Coordinates of all heavy atoms in Angstrom, one line a residue:
M1 N -5.4 -6.7 10.0 CA -5.3 -8.2 9.6 C -5.5 -9.0 10.8 O -4.9 -8.7 11.9 CB -3.9 -8.4 9.0 CG -3.6 -9.8 8.6 SD -4.7 -10.7 7.4 CE -4.5 -9.6 6.0
K2 N -6.3 -10.0 10.7 CA -6.6 -10.9 11.8 C -5.4 -11.7 12.3 O -4.5 -12.1 11.6 CB -7.6 -11.9 11.4 CG -8.0 -13.0 12.3 CD -9.1 -13.9 11.7 CE -9.3 -15.1 12.7 NZ -10.3 -16.0 12.1
K3 N -5.3 -11.8 13.7 CA -4.2 -12.6 14.3 C -4.6 -14.0 14.4 O -5.6 -14.3 15.2 CB -3.8 -12.0 15.6 CG -2.8 -12.8 16.4 CD -1.3 -12.4 16.0 CE -0.3 -13.1 16.9 NZ -0.2 -14.5 16.5
C4 N -4.0 -14.9 13.7 CA -4.4 -16.3 13.8 C -3.7 -17.1 14.9 O -2.6 -16.7 15.3 CB -4.1 -17.0 12.4 SG -5.0 -16.3 11.1
N5 N -4.4 -18.1 15.4 CA -3.8 -18.9 16.5 C -3.3 -20.3 16.2 O -2.9 -21.0 17.0 CB -4.9 -19.0 17.6 CG -5.2 -17.6 18.2 OD1 -4.3 -16.9 18.6 ND2 -6.4 -17.2 18.2
S6 N -3.4 -20.6 14.9 CA -2.9 -21.9 14.5 C -2.6 -21.9 13.0 O -3.1 -21.0 12.2 CB -3.9 -23.0 14.7 OG -5.1 -22.8 13.9
L7 N -1.8 -22.9 12.5 CA -1.6 -23.0 11.1 C -2.9 -23.2 10.3 O -3.1 -22.7 9.2 CB -0.6 -24.1 10.8 CG -0.2 -24.4 9.3 CD1 0.3 -23.1 8.6 CD2 0.8 -25.5 9.2
Q8 N -3.7 -24.1 10.9 CA -5.0 -24.3 10.2 C -5.8 -23.1 10.0 O -6.4 -22.8 8.9 CB -5.8 -25.4 11.0 CG -7.0 -25.9 10.2 CD -6.6 -26.4 8.8 OE1 -5.8 -27.3 8.7 NE2 -7.2 -25.9 7.7
E9 N -5.8 -22.2 11.0 CA -6.5 -21.0 10.9 C -5.9 -20.1 9.8 O -6.7 -19.4 9.1 CB -6.5 -20.2 12.3 CG -7.7 -19.2 12.4 CD -7.7 -18.6 13.8 OE1 -7.1 -19.1 14.8 OE2 -8.3 -17.5 13.9
V10 N -4.6 -20.0 9.8 CA -3.9 -19.3 8.7 C -4.4 -19.8 7.4 O -4.7 -19.0 6.5 CB -2.4 -19.4 8.9 CG1 -1.7 -18.8 7.6 CG2 -1.9 -18.7 10.1
R11 N -4.4 -21.1 7.2 CA -4.7 -21.7 5.9 C -6.2 -21.5 5.6 O -6.5 -21.2 4.4 CB -4.4 -23.2 5.9 CG -2.9 -23.5 5.9 CD -2.6 -24.9 5.9 NE -1.1 -25.1 5.7 CZ -0.5 -26.3 5.9 NH1 -1.2 -27.4 6.3 NH2 0.8 -26.4 5.7
D12 N -7.0 -21.5 6.6 CA -8.4 -21.2 6.3 C -8.6 -19.8 5.8 O -9.4 -19.5 4.9 CB -9.3 -21.5 7.6 CG -9.4 -22.9 8.0 OD1 -9.1 -23.8 7.1 OD2 -9.8 -23.2 9.1
E13 N -7.9 -18.9 6.5 CA -8.0 -17.5 6.0 C -7.5 -17.3 4.6 O -8.0 -16.6 3.8 CB -7.1 -16.6 7.0 CG -7.7 -16.4 8.3 CD -9.0 -15.6 8.4 OE1 -9.0 -14.5 7.7 OE2 -10.0 -16.0 9.0
I14 N -6.3 -18.0 4.3 CA -5.8 -17.9 2.9 C -6.8 -18.5 1.9 O -6.9 -17.9 0.8 CB -4.4 -18.7 2.9 CG1 -3.3 -17.9 3.6 CG2 -4.0 -19.0 1.4 CD1 -2.0 -18.7 3.9
D15 N -7.4 -19.6 2.3 CA -8.4 -20.2 1.3 C -9.5 -19.2 1.0 O -9.9 -19.1 -0.1 CB -9.0 -21.5 1.9 CG -7.9 -22.6 1.9 OD1 -6.9 -22.5 1.2 OD2 -8.2 -23.7 2.6
V16 N -10.0 -18.5 2.0 CA -11.1 -17.5 1.8 C -10.6 -16.4 0.9 O -11.2 -16.1 -0.1 CB -11.6 -16.9 3.2 CG1 -12.5 -15.7 2.9 CG2 -12.3 -18.0 4.0
L17 N -9.4 -15.9 1.2 CA -8.8 -14.8 0.3 C -8.6 -15.3 -1.1 O -8.9 -14.6 -2.1 CB -7.5 -14.3 0.9 CG -7.6 -13.5 2.1 CD1 -6.2 -13.0 2.6 CD2 -8.5 -12.2 1.9
D18 N -8.1 -16.6 -1.3 CA -7.9 -17.1 -2.6 C -9.2 -17.1 -3.4 O -9.2 -16.7 -4.6 CB -7.3 -18.5 -2.6 CG -5.8 -18.5 -2.2 OD1 -5.2 -17.4 -2.2 OD2 -5.3 -19.5 -1.9
Q19 N -10.3 -17.5 -2.8 CA -11.6 -17.6 -3.5 C -12.0 -16.1 -3.8 O -12.5 -15.9 -4.9 CB -12.6 -18.2 -2.6 CG -12.4 -19.7 -2.3 CD -12.4 -20.5 -3.5 OE1 -13.3 -20.5 -4.3 NE2 -11.4 -21.3 -3.7
Q20 N -11.8 -15.2 -2.9 CA -12.1 -13.8 -3.2 C -11.3 -13.2 -4.4 O -11.8 -12.5 -5.2 CB -12.0 -12.9 -2.0 CG -13.0 -13.2 -0.9 CD -12.7 -12.4 0.4 OE1 -11.7 -11.7 0.5 NE2 -13.7 -12.5 1.3
L21 N -10.0 -13.6 -4.4 CA -9.2 -13.1 -5.5 C -9.7 -13.6 -6.8 O -9.8 -12.9 -7.8 CB -7.7 -13.7 -5.3 CG -6.7 -12.9 -4.5 CD1 -5.5 -13.7 -4.3 CD2 -6.4 -11.6 -5.3
I22 N -10.1 -14.9 -6.9 CA -10.6 -15.5 -8.1 C -11.9 -14.8 -8.5 O -12.1 -14.5 -9.7 CB -10.7 -17.0 -8.0 CG1 -9.3 -17.6 -7.8 CG2 -11.4 -17.6 -9.2 CD1 -9.3 -19.0 -7.3
E23 N -12.7 -14.5 -7.5 CA -14.0 -13.9 -7.9 C -13.7 -12.5 -8.4 O -14.4 -12.0 -9.4 CB -14.9 -13.7 -6.6 CG -15.6 -15.1 -6.3 CD -16.3 -15.1 -5.0 OE1 -16.6 -14.0 -4.5 OE2 -16.6 -16.2 -4.5
L24 N -12.8 -11.7 -7.8 CA -12.4 -10.4 -8.4 C -11.9 -10.5 -9.8 O -12.2 -9.7 -10.6 CB -11.5 -9.7 -7.4 CG -12.0 -9.2 -6.1 CD1 -10.9 -8.7 -5.1 CD2 -13.1 -8.1 -6.3
I25 N -11.0 -11.5 -10.0 CA -10.4 -11.6 -11.3 C -11.5 -12.0 -12.3 O -11.5 -11.5 -13.5 CB -9.3 -12.7 -11.3 CG1 -8.1 -12.1 -10.5 CG2 -8.9 -13.0 -12.7 CD1 -7.0 -13.1 -10.2
S26 N -12.5 -12.8 -11.9 CA -13.6 -13.1 -12.8 C -14.4 -11.8 -13.1 O -14.8 -11.6 -14.3 CB -14.5 -14.1 -12.1 OG -15.7 -14.2 -12.8
Q27 N -14.7 -11.0 -12.1 CA -15.4 -9.7 -12.4 C -14.6 -8.9 -13.4 O -15.2 -8.3 -14.3 CB -15.6 -9.0 -11.1 CG -16.7 -9.6 -10.2 CD -16.8 -8.8 -8.9 OE1 -16.6 -7.6 -8.8 NE2 -17.1 -9.5 -7.8
R28 N -13.3 -8.8 -13.2 CA -12.4 -8.0 -14.1 C -12.5 -8.6 -15.5 O -12.7 -7.8 -16.5 CB -11.0 -8.0 -13.6 CG -10.1 -7.0 -14.3 CD -8.7 -7.1 -13.8 NE -7.9 -6.0 -14.1 CZ -7.5 -5.6 -15.3 NH1 -7.7 -6.4 -16.3 NH2 -6.8 -4.5 -15.5
S29 N -12.5 -9.9 -15.6 CA -12.6 -10.5 -16.9 C -13.9 -10.2 -17.7 O -13.9 -10.0 -18.9 CB -12.4 -12.0 -16.7 OG -12.4 -12.7 -17.9
H30 N -15.0 -10.2 -16.9 CA -16.3 -9.9 -17.5 C -16.3 -8.4 -18.0 O -16.9 -8.1 -19.0 CB -17.4 -10.2 -16.6 CG -17.7 -11.7 -16.5 ND1 -17.2 -12.5 -15.5 CD2 -18.3 -12.5 -17.3 CE1 -17.5 -13.7 -15.7 NE2 -18.2 -13.8 -16.8
L31 N -15.7 -7.5 -17.2 CA -15.6 -6.1 -17.7 C -14.8 -6.0 -19.0 O -15.2 -5.2 -19.9 CB -15.0 -5.3 -16.6 CG -16.0 -5.0 -15.4 CD1 -15.2 -4.3 -14.3 CD2 -17.1 -4.1 -15.8
I32 N -13.7 -6.7 -19.1 CA -12.9 -6.7 -20.3 C -13.7 -7.0 -21.5 O -13.6 -6.4 -22.6 CB -11.7 -7.7 -20.1 CG1 -10.8 -7.3 -19.0 CG2 -10.9 -7.8 -21.4 CD1 -10.2 -5.9 -19.1
R33 N -14.6 -8.0 -21.4 CA -15.4 -8.4 -22.5 C -16.3 -7.3 -23.0 O -16.5 -7.1 -24.2 CB -16.3 -9.6 -22.2 CG -15.5 -10.9 -22.0 CD -16.3 -12.0 -21.4 NE -15.4 -13.1 -21.0 CZ -15.1 -14.1 -21.8 NH1 -15.5 -14.2 -23.0 NH2 -14.3 -15.1 -21.4
Q34 N -16.8 -6.5 -22.0 CA -17.6 -5.3 -22.3 C -16.8 -4.2 -23.0 O -17.3 -3.5 -23.9 CB -18.2 -4.7 -21.1 CG -19.3 -5.6 -20.4 CD -20.0 -4.8 -19.3 OE1 -20.3 -3.7 -19.4 NE2 -20.1 -5.5 -18.2
A35 N -15.5 -4.1 -22.6 CA -14.7 -3.0 -23.1 C -14.6 -3.0 -24.7 O -14.6 -2.0 -25.3 CB -13.3 -3.0 -22.5
A36 N -14.5 -4.2 -25.2 CA -14.4 -4.3 -26.7 C -15.5 -3.6 -27.4 O -15.2 -3.1 -28.5 CB -14.3 -5.8 -27.1
A37 N -16.6 -3.6 -26.9 CA -17.8 -3.0 -27.5 C -17.6 -1.5 -27.7 O -18.3 -0.9 -28.6 CB -19.1 -3.3 -26.8
F38 N -16.8 -0.9 -26.9 CA -16.6 0.6 -27.0 C -15.4 1.0 -27.8 O -15.0 2.2 -27.8 CB -16.5 1.2 -25.5 CG -17.7 0.9 -24.7 CD1 -17.7 -0.1 -23.8 CD2 -18.8 1.7 -24.9 CE1 -18.8 -0.4 -23.0 CE2 -20.0 1.4 -24.1 CZ -20.0 0.4 -23.2
K39 N -14.8 0.0 -28.5 CA -13.6 0.3 -29.3 C -13.8 0.1 -30.8 O -14.6 -0.7 -31.2 CB -12.5 -0.6 -28.8 CG -12.2 -0.3 -27.3 CD -11.0 -1.0 -26.8 CE -10.7 -0.7 -25.3 NZ -9.5 -1.3 -24.8
D40 N -13.0 0.9 -31.5 CA -13.2 0.9 -33.0 C -12.1 0.3 -33.8 O -12.3 -0.1 -34.9 CB -13.4 2.4 -33.5 CG -14.6 3.0 -32.9 OD1 -15.6 2.3 -32.8 OD2 -14.5 4.2 -32.5
T41 N -10.9 0.2 -33.2 CA -9.7 -0.3 -33.9 C -9.0 -1.3 -33.0 O -9.1 -1.3 -31.7 CB -8.7 0.8 -34.3 OG1 -8.1 1.3 -33.1 CG2 -9.4 1.9 -35.1
I42 N -8.1 -2.1 -33.6 CA -7.3 -3.1 -32.8 C -6.3 -2.3 -31.9 O -6.0 -2.8 -30.8 CB -6.6 -4.1 -33.8 CG1 -6.2 -5.3 -33.0 CG2 -5.4 -3.5 -34.5 CD1 -7.3 -6.2 -32.7
E43 N -5.9 -1.1 -32.3 CA -5.0 -0.3 -31.4 C -5.8 0.2 -30.2 O -5.2 0.2 -29.1 CB -4.5 1.0 -32.2 CG -3.4 0.7 -33.2 CD -3.9 0.0 -34.4 OE1 -5.1 0.2 -34.8 OE2 -3.1 -0.8 -35.0
D44 N -7.1 0.5 -30.4 CA -7.9 0.8 -29.2 C -8.0 -0.4 -28.3 O -8.0 -0.2 -27.1 CB -9.3 1.2 -29.7 CG -9.4 2.5 -30.5 OD1 -8.5 3.3 -30.4 OD2 -10.5 2.7 -31.1
V45 N -8.2 -1.5 -28.9 CA -8.3 -2.7 -28.0 C -7.0 -3.0 -27.2 O -7.1 -3.2 -26.0 CB -8.6 -4.0 -28.9 CG1 -8.6 -5.3 -28.1 CG2 -9.9 -3.9 -29.6
K46 N -5.9 -2.8 -27.9 CA -4.6 -3.1 -27.2 C -4.3 -2.0 -26.1 O -3.7 -2.3 -25.1 CB -3.5 -3.2 -28.2 CG -3.6 -4.5 -29.0 CD -2.5 -4.7 -30.0 CE -2.7 -6.0 -30.8 NZ -1.8 -6.1 -31.9
A47 N -4.6 -0.7 -26.4 CA -4.5 0.4 -25.5 C -3.3 0.4 -24.6 O -3.3 0.3 -23.4 CB -5.8 0.4 -24.6
E48 N -2.1 0.4 -25.3 CA -0.8 0.3 -24.6 C -0.6 1.3 -23.5 O -0.1 1.0 -22.4 CB 0.3 0.4 -25.6 CG 0.3 -0.4 -26.8 CD 0.8 -1.9 -26.6 OE1 1.2 -2.1 -25.5 OE2 0.7 -2.7 -27.5
D49 N -1.1 2.6 -23.7 CA -0.9 3.6 -22.7 C -1.7 3.3 -21.4 O -1.2 3.5 -20.3 CB -1.4 5.0 -23.2 CG -0.4 5.5 -24.2 OD1 0.6 4.9 -24.4 OD2 -0.8 6.6 -24.8
R50 N -2.9 2.7 -21.6 CA -3.7 2.4 -20.5 C -3.1 1.2 -19.7 O -3.1 1.2 -18.5 CB -5.1 2.0 -21.0 CG -6.0 1.3 -20.0 CD -6.4 2.3 -18.9 NE -7.3 1.6 -17.9 CZ -7.6 2.0 -16.7 NH1 -7.1 3.2 -16.2 NH2 -8.3 1.3 -15.9
I51 N -2.5 0.2 -20.4 CA -1.8 -0.9 -19.7 C -0.7 -0.3 -18.9 O -0.5 -0.7 -17.7 CB -1.3 -1.9 -20.7 CG1 -2.4 -2.6 -21.4 CG2 -0.4 -2.9 -20.0 CD1 -2.0 -3.6 -22.5
D52 N 0.1 0.7 -19.4 CA 1.2 1.3 -18.6 C 0.6 1.9 -17.4 O 1.2 1.8 -16.3 CB 1.9 2.3 -19.5 CG 2.7 1.7 -20.6 OD1 2.9 0.5 -20.6 OD2 3.1 2.5 -21.5
D53 N -0.5 2.6 -17.5 CA -1.1 3.3 -16.3 C -1.6 2.2 -15.3 O -1.3 2.4 -14.1 CB -2.4 4.0 -16.7 CG -2.1 5.3 -17.4 OD1 -0.9 5.7 -17.4 OD2 -3.0 6.0 -18.0
V54 N -2.2 1.2 -15.8 CA -2.7 0.1 -14.8 C -1.5 -0.5 -14.1 O -1.6 -0.7 -12.9 CB -3.5 -1.0 -15.6 CG1 -3.8 -2.2 -14.7 CG2 -4.8 -0.4 -16.2
M55 N -0.5 -0.8 -14.9 CA 0.7 -1.5 -14.2 C 1.4 -0.5 -13.2 O 1.7 -1.0 -12.1 CB 1.7 -1.9 -15.3 CG 1.2 -2.9 -16.3 SD 1.0 -4.5 -15.5 CE 2.6 -5.2 -15.8
Q56 N 1.5 0.7 -13.6 CA 2.1 1.7 -12.7 C 1.3 1.8 -11.4 O 1.9 1.8 -10.3 CB 2.3 3.0 -13.4 CG 3.3 3.9 -12.6 CD 4.7 3.3 -12.3 OE1 5.3 2.8 -13.3 NE2 5.0 3.2 -11.1
R57 N 0.0 1.9 -11.5 CA -0.9 2.1 -10.4 C -0.8 0.8 -9.5 O -0.7 0.9 -8.2 CB -2.3 2.3 -10.8 CG -3.2 2.8 -9.6 CD -4.5 3.4 -10.0 NE -4.5 4.1 -11.2 CZ -5.0 3.7 -12.4 NH1 -5.6 2.6 -12.5 NH2 -5.0 4.5 -13.4
A58 N -0.7 -0.4 -10.1 CA -0.6 -1.6 -9.3 C 0.7 -1.6 -8.6 O 0.8 -2.0 -7.4 CB -0.7 -2.8 -10.3
R59 N 1.8 -1.2 -9.2 CA 3.1 -1.2 -8.6 C 3.1 -0.2 -7.4 O 3.6 -0.6 -6.3 CB 4.2 -0.8 -9.5 CG 4.5 -1.9 -10.5 CD 5.7 -1.5 -11.4 NE 6.9 -1.3 -10.7 CZ 7.8 -2.3 -10.4 NH1 7.5 -3.6 -10.8 NH2 8.9 -2.1 -9.7
N60 N 2.5 0.9 -7.6 CA 2.5 1.9 -6.5 C 1.7 1.4 -5.3 O 2.0 1.6 -4.2 CB 1.8 3.2 -7.0 CG 2.7 4.0 -8.0 OD1 3.9 3.7 -8.1 ND2 2.2 4.9 -8.8
K61 N 0.6 0.7 -5.6 CA -0.3 0.2 -4.5 C 0.5 -0.9 -3.8 O 0.5 -0.9 -2.5 CB -1.5 -0.4 -5.1 CG -2.5 -1.0 -4.1 CD -3.2 0.1 -3.3 CE -4.2 -0.5 -2.4 NZ -4.8 0.5 -1.5
A62 N 1.2 -1.7 -4.5 CA 2.1 -2.8 -3.9 C 3.1 -2.1 -2.9 O 3.2 -2.6 -1.8 CB 2.7 -3.6 -4.9
I63 N 3.8 -1.1 -3.4 CA 4.8 -0.4 -2.6 C 4.1 0.2 -1.4 O 4.7 0.0 -0.3 CB 5.5 0.7 -3.5 CG1 6.3 0.0 -4.5 CG2 6.4 1.6 -2.6 CD1 6.8 0.9 -5.7
S64 N 3.0 0.8 -1.5 CA 2.3 1.4 -0.4 C 1.9 0.4 0.7 O 1.8 0.7 1.9 CB 1.1 2.3 -0.8 OG 0.0 1.4 -1.1
L65 N 1.7 -0.9 0.2 CA 1.3 -1.9 1.2 C 2.5 -2.8 1.7 O 2.3 -3.7 2.4 CB 0.3 -2.9 0.5 CG -1.1 -2.3 0.2 CD1 -1.9 -3.2 -0.7 CD2 -1.9 -2.0 1.4
G66 N 3.7 -2.4 1.2 CA 4.9 -3.1 1.6 C 5.1 -4.5 1.0 O 5.7 -5.4 1.6
I67 N 4.5 -4.7 -0.1 CA 4.7 -6.0 -0.8 C 5.5 -5.8 -2.1 O 5.6 -4.6 -2.6 CB 3.4 -6.8 -1.1 CG1 2.5 -6.0 -2.0 CG2 2.8 -7.3 0.1 CD1 1.3 -6.8 -2.5
N68 N 6.1 -6.8 -2.6 CA 7.1 -6.7 -3.7 C 6.4 -6.3 -5.0 O 5.5 -7.0 -5.5 CB 7.8 -8.1 -3.9 CG 8.9 -8.0 -5.0 OD1 8.9 -7.1 -5.8 ND2 9.7 -9.0 -5.0
P69 N 6.7 -5.1 -5.5 CA 6.0 -4.6 -6.7 C 6.3 -5.4 -7.9 O 5.5 -5.5 -8.9 CB 6.6 -3.2 -6.9 CG 7.8 -3.1 -6.1 CD 7.7 -4.1 -5.0
N70 N 7.5 -6.1 -7.9 CA 7.8 -7.0 -9.1 C 6.9 -8.2 -9.1 O 6.5 -8.7 -10.2 CB 9.3 -7.4 -9.1 CG 10.2 -6.3 -9.2 OD1 9.8 -5.2 -9.8 ND2 11.4 -6.4 -8.6
M71 N 6.5 -8.7 -8.0 CA 5.6 -9.8 -7.9 C 4.2 -9.4 -8.5 O 3.6 -10.1 -9.3 CB 5.4 -10.3 -6.5 CG 4.3 -11.4 -6.4 SD 3.8 -11.9 -4.7 CE 3.1 -10.4 -4.1
I72 N 3.8 -8.2 -8.1 CA 2.5 -7.7 -8.6 C 2.6 -7.4 -10.1 O 1.7 -7.7 -10.9 CB 2.1 -6.4 -7.8 CG1 1.8 -6.7 -6.4 CG2 0.9 -5.7 -8.5 CD1 0.7 -7.7 -6.1
S73 N 3.7 -6.9 -10.6 CA 3.9 -6.7 -12.0 C 3.8 -8.0 -12.8 O 3.1 -8.1 -13.8 CB 5.3 -6.1 -12.3 OG 5.4 -4.7 -11.9
D74 N 4.4 -9.0 -12.2 CA 4.4 -10.3 -12.9 C 3.0 -10.9 -13.0 O 2.5 -11.4 -14.0 CB 5.3 -11.3 -12.2 CG 6.8 -11.0 -12.4 OD1 7.1 -10.2 -13.2 OD2 7.6 -11.6 -11.6
L75 N 2.3 -10.8 -11.8 CA 0.9 -11.3 -11.8 C 0.0 -10.5 -12.8 O -0.8 -11.1 -13.5 CB 0.3 -11.1 -10.4 CG 0.8 -12.1 -9.3 CD1 0.3 -11.6 -7.9 CD2 0.2 -13.5 -9.6
F76 N 0.1 -9.2 -12.7 CA -0.7 -8.3 -13.6 C -0.3 -8.6 -15.1 O -1.2 -8.5 -15.9 CB -0.5 -6.8 -13.3 CG -1.6 -6.4 -12.3 CD1 -1.6 -6.9 -11.0 CD2 -2.5 -5.4 -12.6 CE1 -2.6 -6.5 -10.1 CE2 -3.5 -5.0 -11.7 CZ -3.5 -5.5 -10.4
K77 N 0.9 -8.8 -15.4 CA 1.3 -9.1 -16.8 C 0.6 -10.3 -17.3 O 0.0 -10.3 -18.4 CB 2.8 -9.2 -16.9 CG 3.2 -9.4 -18.3 CD 4.7 -9.1 -18.6 CE 5.1 -9.3 -20.1 NZ 4.0 -9.7 -21.0
V78 N 0.6 -11.4 -16.5 CA 0.0 -12.6 -16.9 C -1.5 -12.4 -17.1 O -2.1 -12.8 -18.1 CB 0.2 -13.7 -15.9 CG1 -0.7 -14.9 -16.2 CG2 1.7 -14.1 -15.9
M79 N -2.1 -11.7 -16.1 CA -3.6 -11.4 -16.2 C -4.0 -10.5 -17.4 O -4.9 -10.9 -18.1 CB -4.0 -10.8 -14.8 CG -5.5 -10.4 -14.8 SD -5.9 -9.7 -13.2 CE -5.2 -8.1 -13.4
I80 N -3.2 -9.4 -17.5 CA -3.6 -8.5 -18.6 C -3.3 -9.1 -20.0 O -4.1 -9.0 -20.9 CB -2.9 -7.1 -18.4 CG1 -3.5 -6.5 -17.2 CG2 -3.1 -6.3 -19.6 CD1 -2.9 -5.1 -16.8
D81 N -2.2 -9.8 -20.1 CA -1.9 -10.5 -21.4 C -3.1 -11.4 -21.8 O -3.6 -11.3 -23.0 CB -0.6 -11.3 -21.4 CG 0.6 -10.5 -21.5 OD1 0.5 -9.2 -21.7 OD2 1.7 -11.0 -21.3
E82 N -3.6 -12.1 -20.9 CA -4.7 -13.1 -21.2 C -6.0 -12.3 -21.5 O -6.7 -12.6 -22.4 CB -4.9 -14.0 -19.9 CG -6.2 -14.7 -19.9 CD -6.3 -15.7 -21.0 OE1 -5.3 -16.2 -21.5 OE2 -7.5 -16.0 -21.4
M83 N -6.2 -11.2 -20.7 CA -7.4 -10.4 -20.9 C -7.4 -9.6 -22.3 O -8.4 -9.5 -22.9 CB -7.7 -9.5 -19.7 CG -8.0 -10.3 -18.5 SD -8.5 -9.3 -17.1 CE -8.8 -10.6 -15.9
V84 N -6.2 -9.2 -22.7 CA -6.1 -8.5 -24.0 C -6.5 -9.5 -25.1 O -7.2 -9.2 -26.0 CB -4.7 -7.9 -24.2 CG1 -4.5 -7.4 -25.6 CG2 -4.5 -6.8 -23.2
E85 N -6.0 -10.7 -24.9 CA -6.3 -11.8 -25.9 C -7.8 -12.0 -26.0 O -8.4 -12.1 -27.1 CB -5.6 -13.1 -25.6 CG -4.1 -13.1 -25.9 CD -3.7 -12.6 -27.3 OE1 -4.3 -13.1 -28.2 OE2 -2.9 -11.7 -27.4
T86 N -8.4 -12.1 -24.8 CA -9.9 -12.3 -24.7 C -10.6 -11.1 -25.4 O -11.6 -11.3 -26.2 CB -10.3 -12.3 -23.2 OG1 -9.6 -13.4 -22.6 CG2 -11.8 -12.5 -23.1
E87 N -10.1 -9.9 -25.1 CA -10.7 -8.7 -25.7 C -10.6 -8.7 -27.2 O -11.5 -8.3 -28.0 CB -10.2 -7.4 -25.1 CG -11.0 -6.2 -25.3 CD -10.5 -5.0 -24.6 OE1 -10.1 -5.1 -23.5 OE2 -10.6 -3.9 -25.3
I88 N -9.4 -9.1 -27.7 CA -9.2 -9.1 -29.2 C -10.2 -10.1 -29.8 O -10.8 -9.8 -30.8 CB -7.7 -9.5 -29.5 CG1 -6.8 -8.3 -29.1 CG2 -7.6 -9.9 -31.0 CD1 -5.3 -8.6 -29.2
A89 N -10.3 -11.3 -29.2 CA -11.2 -12.3 -29.7 C -12.7 -11.7 -29.7 O -13.4 -11.9 -30.7 CB -11.2 -13.6 -28.8
E90 N -13.0 -11.1 -28.6 CA -14.4 -10.5 -28.5 C -14.6 -9.4 -29.6 O -15.6 -9.4 -30.3 CB -14.5 -9.8 -27.1 CG -15.9 -9.5 -26.6 CD -16.6 -10.8 -26.3 OE1 -16.0 -11.8 -25.9 OE2 -17.9 -10.8 -26.5
F91 N -13.5 -8.6 -29.8 CA -13.6 -7.6 -30.9 C -13.8 -8.2 -32.3 O -14.6 -7.8 -33.1 CB -12.3 -6.8 -30.8 CG -12.2 -5.5 -31.7 CD1 -13.0 -4.4 -31.4 CD2 -11.4 -5.5 -32.8 CE1 -12.9 -3.3 -32.2 CE2 -11.4 -4.4 -33.6 CZ -12.1 -3.3 -33.3
R92 N -13.0 -9.3 -32.5 CA -13.1 -10.0 -33.8 C -14.5 -10.5 -34.0 O -15.1 -10.4 -35.1 CB -12.1 -11.1 -33.9 CG -10.7 -10.6 -34.1 CD -9.8 -11.7 -34.7 NE -8.5 -11.1 -35.0 CZ -7.3 -11.5 -34.4 NH1 -7.3 -12.4 -33.5 NH2 -6.2 -10.9 -34.8
N93 N -15.0 -11.1 -32.9 CA -16.4 -11.7 -33.0 C -17.4 -10.7 -33.3 O -18.5 -11.0 -33.8 CB -16.7 -12.5 -31.7 CG -15.9 -13.8 -31.7 OD1 -15.4 -14.3 -32.7 ND2 -15.7 -14.3 -30.5
S94 N -17.2 -9.5 -32.9 CA -18.2 -8.4 -33.0 C -18.3 -8.0 -34.5 O -19.2 -7.2 -34.9 CB -17.8 -7.2 -32.2 OG -16.7 -6.5 -32.7
G95 N -17.3 -8.5 -35.3 CA -17.3 -8.2 -36.8 C -16.8 -6.8 -37.1 O -16.8 -6.4 -38.3
K96 N -16.1 -6.1 -36.2 CA -15.6 -4.8 -36.5 C -14.2 -4.9 -37.1 O -13.6 -4.0 -37.6 CB -15.4 -4.0 -35.2 CG -16.8 -3.5 -34.7 CD -16.4 -2.5 -33.5 CE -17.5 -2.4 -32.5 NZ -17.1 -1.7 -31.3
F97 N -13.6 -6.1 -37.1 CA -12.2 -6.3 -37.4 C -12.0 -7.1 -38.7 O -12.7 -8.1 -38.9 CB -11.5 -7.0 -36.2 CG -10.0 -7.2 -36.4 CD1 -9.2 -6.1 -36.6 CD2 -9.5 -8.5 -36.3 CE1 -7.8 -6.3 -36.7 CE2 -8.1 -8.6 -36.4 CZ -7.3 -7.5 -36.6
Ligands
PRE1 O1 -8.8 -0.1 -20.4 C1 -9.1 -0.7 -21.4 O2 -9.2 -0.2 -22.5 C2 -9.3 -2.2 -21.4 O3 -9.7 -2.8 -22.3 C3 -8.9 -2.9 -20.1 C4 -7.4 -3.4 -20.2 C5 -7.1 -4.0 -18.9 O4 -6.9 -5.2 -18.7 O5 -7.0 -3.2 -17.9 C6 -7.4 -4.5 -21.3 C7 -7.0 -4.3 -22.5 C8 -6.2 -3.1 -22.9 O6 -5.0 -3.5 -23.5 C9 -6.0 -2.1 -21.8 C10 -6.5 -2.4 -20.6

């Protein structure tokens, strides 16, 4: 991690990371839309076991990096809840439901 020499430099670095985070979330969101095409039922779309795996992996990664796993769980919950809704809408629009 870069050592910054001023508050402005810290903020500039944060701004860059925030943009990258949003780009990554956007990429994830586009993949979710594709996932619906490979599913046959609403249970497949919800994929509760997969959500548990994703959440556990995210928590483990947070712990390994020394950040609060509960914060990551909260962020992922908001993100995945929204993406599941998107995927359900995509699934319905595909006419399979
Ligand atoms: O892995 C899937 O089946 C997905 O559709 C992706 C994803 C996710 O956000 O990671 C989204 C919806 C499902 O509830 C499970 C996981």
Side-chain angles (χ1 to χ4, degrees):
M1 176 61 61
K2 175 180 175 181
K3 173 88 176 74
C4 298
N5 294 309
S6 67
L7 177 57
Q8 189 56 55
E9 201 177 341
V10 170
R11 288 178 175 170
D12 289 345
E13 289 292 314
I14 288 171
D15 286 348
V16 169
L17 286 181
D18 285 349
Q19 294 298 308
Q20 290 176 352
L21 269 173
I22 294 164
E23 280 171 23
L24 288 172
I25 291 168
S26 167
Q27 286 177 30
R28 193 183 198 287
S29 183
H30 284 99
L31 285 170
I32 297 299
R33 288 167 193 274
Q34 290 186 44
F38 299 102
K39 299 190 179 183
D40 297 320
T41 67
I42 200 75
E43 286 71 31
D44 293 342
V45 174
K46 291 181 179 167
E48 308 279 359
D49 289 353
R50 171 64 181 164
I51 293 178
D52 291 345
D53 285 351
V54 170
M55 294 293 269
Q56 194 53 57
R57 194 167 322 106
R59 287 183 66 83
N60 290 343
K61 182 70 175 174
I63 292 165
S64 77
L65 292 170
I67 58 172
N68 186 343
N70 295 334
M71 174 188 68
I72 295 299
S73 290
D74 289 349
L75 285 168
F76 268 63
K77 182 164 182 359
V78 169
M79 179 178 73
I80 291 177
D81 282 353
E82 165 63 26
M83 291 187 182
V84 170
E85 288 308 313
T86 301
E87 195 177 319
I88 289 171
E90 201 69 31
F91 188 71
R92 286 199 173 117
N93 287 340
S94 74
K96 289 188 203 168
F97 184 56

